[in-house]
Amino acid sequence: MTLHDAIEIVLESNKRPLTFDEIAAEINAKDLYQRNDLKKIGGAQVRTRVQQYDKLFININGYVVSNHNKKWRNLLSTYWDLSNNLRELYKVSELEFIISCIFYFKRLYDLNDRQFISNVDFINNLSDNLDSIYINDNTSTLLRSIPHEFYSLVHRESITKFLDSIMPLQHFSSHNFSDEEYGHVFEYILEMNNHGKSKSQLIRTPRQIIELMSKILNPTSGKLYDPVCGTGGFLTQAFRMSKDLEIFGSEISYQVAQIASMNQIMNGDKFANIVYENCFEQIHENIKYDYIIGDLPLVPLSDHNNVVISNLTDLNLPRNFKSFGSFLIFSYFKLSPVGKAVFTVSQSFLFKKGGDEKVRNYFLKKDLIEAVISLPDGSLKPYTTGQVSILVINKIKNNIQKGKVKFINLPDESDFRGIDVNEILEFYSENITNSAYVEIVDVQEVLDLNTLSPASYSRELIEVRKLLQTGTAMYIEDLTKIISGTTSISKEDLNNNYGIPYIKIENLERDILDMFLSKKNVKEFVISDFQKYDRNIISRECLLIAKIGDRLKPTIFRPQNGLDKIILNPNVLALYLDPHSKISLEFLYYQFYSDFLLNQIDQKFNRSVMQFITISAIKELIVPTMDFIDQATFIEFQKATSISEERKRIAERFDRLGYIEDVQEIELNIVRTITHQLKHQLTGLSTSMIKISEVVNKNKLSDYSEYDVSDKILQPTVGFEEPENKKLGEVVDQGLKKAEALNIILRDVDKAITFNLDYSQVYMGEFLDDIIKNYTNKNFSIERFGDDPLIEISTTHFEDLMTTLIKNAEDHGFKSTKSPKISFSTKVDSKRALLVLDYKNNGSPLTITAKEFKSILTKSINSTGSGIGGYYINKIVEAHKGQLIINENLKSGIHFIIELPLKQLENE
């Protein structure tokens, strides 16, 4: 049985929507499908299979239903027809509220057996009609005002157009849906209204995160509160889990609070208390909550609320404290004595200094932090790409939990497909104490290390810290003095010829064996006449460090003739050894290439939100200490290992590509020889044609032709082509054009086979934007979106590549395209250390294969180009040790994927 067969069986037997994890759990329990590795099926694997088989399954906001289910198909058809009709009349922010209201009103009418009539009188009397159905003395002001808000929005456009647009609703009935099912319907509508729209006001939390956090909280009875409830995702989930809860929510946006109220009612909860307010207004109210849950926003407090929070704790927080910490402190004071809270916080909150540090220590000293769960990158997509962790606060830890914090550090995935809720819950449960992803740490140790980042408590780093206790290792801050570069250099004080070398990230040496800073890498200088930079000058031997991708790049600066002093860019740090240090600078240099330090760097910086390295981050690294004889032995070992690995890498490349490269080199030598010989001959031919043209024009010979008009040879003969009798001027012009075309071909061939790469570091998004600016006044549009990573490329050749792609589309692809468009998107594949550049245009498709496109002098049927462009593009990509992937057999448009390493190794 296949996995999708198993999913269908589970859905058919349950007759209701199920989450990915619910499906996985039932498949495992009934042994419906077995993986080859005999491991259990996870929710992420079910999610992937559902996405692959969209003709069999429908994903309704994280719940799966069978595509054979007619009532769900009818619902989706109604929603999409309605949405498409209304999209032409209203803005995105208006549409979200209007569609939510329509499905809310429809449900209320169906439940009360009223007909949802689409006419003007019905809309004008909507408020009265709903009053008679639902409104009572206990109904909140938020709910009472919904018809009026809806009426105001609808009347901004023609009411007749609106009524015509909602006609699809006449064929839909909600009678067949239970409250829980229609709750899923309503949240699906909110999800689809919001999905991918930058102007949306609905900030939502992914369904899997809601499910995970709610199951960690595990509310049963009592009061539950979301201080930043948004559209109410956590509140509806809580209601599904237990009907014995009193549910409360605060929301700072009036219209979003209305939607949250509708959401609760559509899920069957008629008594939820959702209030339009800033949650901090509750700080002095007596009400306490047994459970608090929320996806916390990062917003600054007002001066008043800041003072209130500070007074509650005596933490003396900074003015305009912008942090999750404010919400945490607020929530602590709103929790009952037996309360528990679960929140999302950004990765940076776990280790930042200042106010965040004070808040962390406040909770640690009170032993309130039960667990920290670091989620994989992409967990909050598509709403945000930020990195996030879950923080569990518990006022009633059990005896096993007291004095401890559980850290769960989930691995990152290069292609995030969703978290496995059941697996994380197993990690969170008391049954698992320590595993590859779980560590339980004493509170005092957490206070000493001053970080809540789970990555800092991996097994490897715990073992490293044991060396500190034995005196065989030290923190870098205890061995060195660390300074950063200056941010105050103005562009006017820089030049390319003379002065004090200005050292940036790209000036550091790339190869491990080239450890010393070289003057040949310096591109910019600070004019030395300016004494204002004297205090920024470095003239002592030191180790320079910068962050490149997820790696730290060291280079030793040793003053010498022509390079006796330098000034650093702010993204480069300098490490001076303490005069009484127990290690040498060369030893410290090679430590940054050792597994001992690389493991620390991987753990600490792999998920770091910092684009550049900071002094505080470097200080936390631990270096082993040993006598100078052992250090020398280590250095020689590292050198030998580096040389051996380099030789091995080159040998493997030769073994893998040697034969192909030999053949390619032979072919290229032939092409080089022919090109060289033809170039001189063609130059002579072009010169001769130009002289002939000048003679023809000077003597007015352009109108002369080979034959007289009356010549019998020009008389047409059946079965033969009509004879040519071009004028001399036409023949000369044709010759000049063909000579120029051949010149272009030879120039392109020469460019494609003889180029040297000069690498430099650029931000790819910014680099693309600069190129795109050159095409702003064209009859086609270019859009660029995605990541903006630092990458090492030959800028001149890559600009050629981009220009070739754009010009090919303009000259050959857009001849018959309406609204021609080009798009570039960039994404970092951190696991493979690659940039993935996705190129698309909506012009004519390729009529040749990918292999032909990459071959020299091969072109599409309709192309008037030289046939060099595709070969040249691929050659540049390969020279950057990348890969060009071509989506073949498209019926329209072009789609290329270019994969490039973020960092280039030295030329092999």
Side-chain angles (χ1 to χ4, degrees):
M1 180 184 296
T2 64
L3 179 55
H4 52 274
D5 289 333
I7 296 171
E8 285 193 294
I9 290 173
V10 170
L11 291 174
E12 180 62 29
S13 64
N14 282 272
K15 304 291 186 184
R16 67 180 179 87
L18 298 173
T19 67
F20 304 115
D21 291 281
E22 287 173 337
I23 294 170
E26 188 160 335
I27 289 174
N28 292 327
K30 294 182 177 179
D31 201 21
L32 295 176
Y33 176 81
Q34 196 171 65
R35 288 170 45 144
N36 292 333
D37 59 6
L38 302 182
K39 291 182 179 179
K40 291 182 179 180
I41 294 296
Q45 190 173 354
V46 173
R47 178 191 180 105
T48 301
R49 188 59 61 95
V50 167
Q51 290 172 336
Q52 291 172 341
Y53 287 81
D54 55 358
K55 292 183 179 179
L56 295 178
F57 310 111
I58 307 169
N59 180 355
I60 306 288
N61 192 35
Y63 288 84
V64 183
V65 296
S66 170
N67 216 347
H68 302 305
N69 191 313
K70 291 183 179 179
K71 72 176 183 181
W72 287 99
R73 286 213 314 270
N74 181 34
L75 160 72
L76 294 178
S77 175
T78 301
Y79 166 73
W80 286 112
D81 287 346
L82 191 67
S83 178
N84 289 333
N85 291 345
L86 293 172
R87 191 170 285 116
E88 298 177 4
L89 301 178
Y90 302 99
K91 300 175 184 176
V92 170
S93 56
E94 297 171 339
L95 194 64
E96 291 167 343
F97 184 74
I98 289 171
I99 292 182
S100 301
C101 287
I102 288 173
F103 278 90
Y104 169 70
F105 298 152
K106 173 64 175 169
R107 179 66 168 173
L108 293 182
Y109 272 75
D110 285 348
L111 290 177
N112 289 272
D113 295 321
R114 300 283 189 93
Q115 188 177 0
F116 194 83
I117 306 169
S118 299
N119 59 42
V120 176
D121 291 337
F122 170 78
I123 296 297
N124 290 339
N125 298 313
L126 183 61
S127 183
D128 293 338
N129 290 328
L130 286 172
D131 279 353
S132 65
I133 289 177
Y134 188 74
I135 304 299
N136 55 54
D137 293 339
N138 297 321
T139 305
S140 68
T141 304
L142 274 176
L143 287 171
R144 290 176 183 274
S145 62
I146 288 171
H148 174 73
E149 294 282 331
F150 175 77
Y151 180 86
S152 299
L153 284 175
V154 166
H155 273 270
R156 290 184 186 176
E157 294 291 336
S158 163
I159 193 66
T160 304
K161 288 183 180 179
F162 171 78
L163 292 171
D164 289 342
S165 297
I166 65 171
M167 284 302 293
L169 210 62
Q170 299 295 327
H171 308 291
F172 169 70
S173 171
S174 70
H175 281 108
N176 295 329
F177 293 89
S178 67
D179 282 345
E180 183 174 339
E181 284 181 325
Y182 200 79
H184 296 324
V185 169
F186 195 79
E187 292 199 318
Y188 172 77
I189 289 165
L190 296 179
E191 180 86 13
M192 296 313 297
N193 280 340
N194 168 246
H195 192 76
K197 295 171 183 173
S198 59
K199 296 182 180 179
S200 171
Q201 64 172 334
L202 305 183
I203 306 302
R204 294 182 55 78
T205 305
R207 170 54 47 186
Q208 287 180 299
I209 302 297
I210 291 175
E211 184 184 354
L212 172 62
M213 291 173 62
S214 299
K215 288 183 176 179
I216 289 173
L217 188 64
N218 192 27
T220 53
S221 62
K223 293 182 174 66
L224 180 141
Y225 176 53
D226 184 345
V228 285
C229 72
T231 57
F234 285 112
L235 303 182
T236 57
Q237 181 68 20
F239 181 75
R240 292 182 193 125
M241 294 176 70
S242 173
K243 302 297 185 287
D244 296 326
L245 290 167
E246 293 181 68
I247 292 175
F248 300 81
S250 298
E251 171 52 45
I252 203 167
S253 165
Y254 190 78
Q255 204 170 78
V256 175
Q258 289 178 314
I259 292 175
S261 298
M262 289 189 277
N263 194 8
Q264 288 301 117
I265 291 174
M266 293 297 93
N267 278 273
D269 181 11
K270 300 177 182 179
F271 303 103
N273 185 2
I274 295 172
V275 181
Y276 162 59
E277 66 177 354
N278 182 329
C279 65
F280 290 100
E281 295 170 9
Q282 280 201 28
I283 193 64
H284 294 302
E285 294 182 13
N286 292 327
I287 187 170
K288 300 287 185 180
Y289 303 102
D290 303 296
Y291 308 97
I292 300 181
I293 190 169
D295 183 1
L296 298 184
L298 184 61
V299 295
L301 292 180
S302 67
D303 287 345
H304 171 70
N305 287 332
N306 197 4
V307 170
V308 170
I309 292 295
S310 293
N311 290 341
L312 286 173
T313 59
D314 295 326
L315 288 181
N316 192 25
L317 297 173
R319 287 178 63 84
N320 295 323
F321 180 45
K322 186 177 182 180
S323 170
F324 301 96
S326 306
F327 286 98
L328 296 178
I329 294 170
F330 164 80
S331 299
Y332 166 68
F333 283 98
K334 297 306 294 181
L335 274 175
S336 71
V338 294
K340 183 176 180 179
V342 181
F343 299 111
T344 58
V345 294
S346 76
Q347 204 79 357
S348 62
F349 171 78
L350 303 179
F351 56 80
K352 278 179 66 177
K353 306 291 185 182
D356 287 334
E357 179 183 4
K358 291 181 180 180
V359 173
R360 291 196 306 269
N361 290 343
Y362 179 81
F363 278 83
L364 283 168
K365 288 175 181 178
K366 289 182 176 291
D367 195 14
L368 294 168
I369 299 177
E370 178 190 328
V372 184
I373 304 170
S374 185
L375 298 176
D377 290 354
S379 297
L380 292 185
K381 287 182 178 177
Y383 306 105
T384 176
T385 57
Q387 296 166 315
V388 68
S389 291
I390 294 173
L391 193 64
V392 184
I393 306 295
N394 194 345
K395 281 191 173 182
I396 51 166
K397 285 185 176 182
N398 60 37
N399 290 333
I400 296 175
Q401 296 167 335
K402 285 180 179 177
K404 309 282 186 182
V405 179
K406 176 174 280 190
F407 292 98
I408 302 174
N409 188 30
L410 297 176
D412 277 326
E413 302 174 30
S414 60
D415 184 15
F416 180 76
R417 296 181 181 275
I419 61 174
D420 191 323
V421 172
N422 291 333
E423 182 181 46
I424 298 174
L425 289 172
E426 284 186 26
F427 291 149
Y428 171 73
S429 72
E430 295 175 13
N431 299 329
I432 294 180
T433 54
N434 291 299
S435 75
Y437 306 127
V438 181
E439 291 292 339
I440 297 176
V441 183
D442 289 341
V443 167
Q444 188 56 51
E445 184 178 347
V446 179
L447 281 166
D448 292 342
L449 284 175
N450 197 21
T451 176
L452 283 177
S453 174
S456 297
Y457 301 96
S458 68
R459 193 156 300 172
E460 293 87 349
L461 291 184
I462 289 174
E463 292 301 318
V464 167
R465 284 194 288 273
K466 286 180 180 179
L467 296 178
L468 290 172
Q469 299 169 359
T470 62
T472 54
M474 297 178 70
Y475 284 110
I476 282 184
E477 71 171 320
D478 296 326
L479 293 165
T480 65
K481 176 186 176 184
I482 309 173
I483 66 168
S484 62
T486 176
T487 58
S488 58
I489 304 288
S490 61
K491 290 184 178 180
E492 293 77 14
D493 297 342
L494 293 171
N495 72 88
N496 300 325
N497 302 310
Y498 65 92
I500 302 171
Y502 184 53
I503 306 304
K504 302 161 83 170
I505 293 176
E506 56 264 34
N507 304 136
L508 302 188
E509 296 296 334
R510 290 192 289 266
D511 195 286
I512 182 174
L513 297 176
D514 295 328
M515 71 170 70
F516 295 104
L517 185 66
S518 172
K519 189 176 181 179
K520 69 179 182 181
N521 291 337
V522 179
K523 307 296 182 185
E524 286 186 300
F525 300 84
V526 179
I527 300 173
S528 55
D529 296 339
F530 297 113
Q531 293 182 351
K532 59 184 176 182
Y533 298 125
D534 284 354
R535 63 188 180 88
N536 304 119
I537 293 174
I538 292 175
S539 56
R540 283 197 296 140
E541 186 177 58
C542 59
L543 185 68
L544 307 180
I545 290 284
K547 185 181 181 189
I548 301 178
D550 56 358
R551 286 283 180 262
L552 300 185
K553 178 69 190 78
T555 298
I556 294 177
F557 167 60
R558 180 168 290 173
Q560 55 185 294
N561 290 335
L563 192 64
D564 57 341
K565 51 189 175 182
I566 57 175
I567 293 178
L568 299 183
N569 178 273
N571 301 323
V572 181
L573 303 181
L575 280 64
Y576 293 104
L577 282 181
D578 184 277
H580 306 293
S581 177
K582 298 179 180 180
I583 63 172
S584 70
L585 202 61
E586 193 173 357
F587 175 76
L588 182 58
Y589 171 86
Y590 278 110
Q591 277 298 321
F592 279 95
Y593 289 101
S594 68
D595 289 340
F596 186 85
L597 213 58
L598 288 175
N599 287 336
Q600 294 180 61
I601 293 168
D602 280 341
Q603 295 289 337
K604 286 179 177 293
F605 305 129
N606 189 36
R607 294 184 179 183
S608 173
V609 295
M610 297 179 296
Q611 202 163 21
F612 305 106
I613 197 66
T614 62
I615 291 178
S616 59
I618 285 286
K619 284 180 177 179
E620 296 173 0
L621 295 175
I622 298 170
V623 177
T625 55
M626 56 188 75
D627 62 39
F628 287 106
I629 294 176
D630 289 338
Q631 289 181 45
T633 303
F634 169 80
I635 291 169
E636 292 306 315
F637 174 78
Q638 284 292 96
K639 285 181 181 179
T641 302
S642 302
I643 294 170
S644 175
E645 288 179 351
E646 183 71 7
R647 285 176 177 169
K648 181 181 177 182
R649 186 168 60 85
I650 293 172
E652 287 176 350
R653 188 169 187 271
F654 280 144
D655 288 343
R656 188 173 66 252
L657 299 174
Y659 172 74
I660 297 172
E661 289 186 343
D662 286 346
V663 172
Q664 287 179 337
E665 188 59 32
I666 291 169
E667 291 174 346
L668 288 177
N669 281 335
I670 295 171
V671 175
R672 286 190 189 101
T673 302
I674 294 173
T675 303
H676 181 72
Q677 292 176 347
L678 284 179
K679 191 186 296 182
H680 295 295
Q681 297 295 329
L682 194 56
T683 302
L685 176 61
S686 296
T687 303
S688 298
M689 290 300 300
I690 291 170
K691 288 182 179 180
I692 292 172
S693 176
E694 290 172 351
V695 171
V696 169
N697 291 331
K698 183 177 181 180
N699 294 283
K700 299 181 180 179
L701 303 175
S702 296
D703 292 333
Y704 284 84
S705 55
E706 186 176 355
Y707 305 106
D708 292 334
V709 178
S710 59
D711 199 311
K712 291 182 179 180
I713 198 170
L714 296 178
Q715 294 178 4
T717 304
V718 178
F720 292 90
E721 291 182 359
E722 185 176 341
E724 280 190 351
N725 191 27
K726 290 185 178 178
K727 295 179 180 180
L728 182 57
E730 293 176 333
V731 174
V732 171
D733 286 344
Q734 193 176 53
L736 283 169
K737 288 177 182 177
K738 288 186 175 181
E740 176 61 21
L742 284 172
N743 262 321
I744 291 171
I745 290 173
L746 287 180
R747 182 198 66 199
D748 289 347
V749 170
D750 188 50
K751 182 171 68 172
I753 63 177
T754 56
F755 61 87
N756 296 312
L757 302 182
D758 182 16
Y759 293 115
S760 60
Q761 290 187 324
V762 298
Y763 289 99
M764 181 53 81
E766 187 179 323
F767 176 76
L768 291 175
D769 289 340
D770 287 341
I771 295 173
I772 291 170
K773 288 176 185 175
N774 299 323
Y775 298 91
T776 51
N777 296 320
K778 297 289 186 177
N779 60 351
F780 57 90
S781 63
I782 305 178
E783 63 178 0
R784 197 278 302 173
F785 51 90
D787 301 335
D788 186 15
L790 189 68
I791 185 169
E792 201 167 6
I793 58 172
S794 173
T795 54
T796 53
H797 290 92
F798 225 83
E799 186 172 351
D800 258 359
L801 186 153
M802 293 295 125
T803 302
T804 302
L805 287 175
I806 295 170
K807 289 294 292 179
N808 279 355
E810 180 182 18
D811 296 342
H812 315 303
F814 289 153
K815 291 183 178 178
S816 58
T817 304
K818 294 180 180 179
S819 303
K821 182 172 70 173
I822 293 171
S823 71
F824 293 101
S825 74
T826 50
K827 178 184 177 184
V828 172
D829 184 337
S830 56
K831 189 172 183 179
R832 295 189 295 159
L834 294 178
L835 168 75
V836 181
L837 174 63
D838 194 282
Y839 164 77
K840 293 177 182 177
N841 74 54
N842 62 347
S844 302
L846 282 177
T847 56
I848 55 177
T849 65
K851 183 178 179 181
E852 290 170 333
F853 179 82
K854 296 175 183 179
S855 301
I856 198 164
L857 298 176
T858 310
K859 58 183 181 178
S860 296
I861 296 171
N862 299 323
S863 173
T864 57
S866 64
I868 307 297
Y871 175 84
Y872 184 49
I873 290 169
N874 187 56
K875 189 74 176 174
I876 293 174
V877 173
E878 285 186 343
H880 282 78
K881 303 176 183 64
Q883 183 181 10
L884 173 64
I885 302 166
I886 299 173
N887 194 345
E888 297 182 281
N889 302 319
L890 293 178
K891 293 182 180 179
S892 63
I894 300 287
H895 183 198
F896 295 166
I897 297 173
I898 299 172
E899 294 183 343
L900 298 169
L902 293 172
K903 181 176 179 293
Q904 295 292 331
L905 299 173
E906 283 291 335
N907 292 336
E908 298 171 353

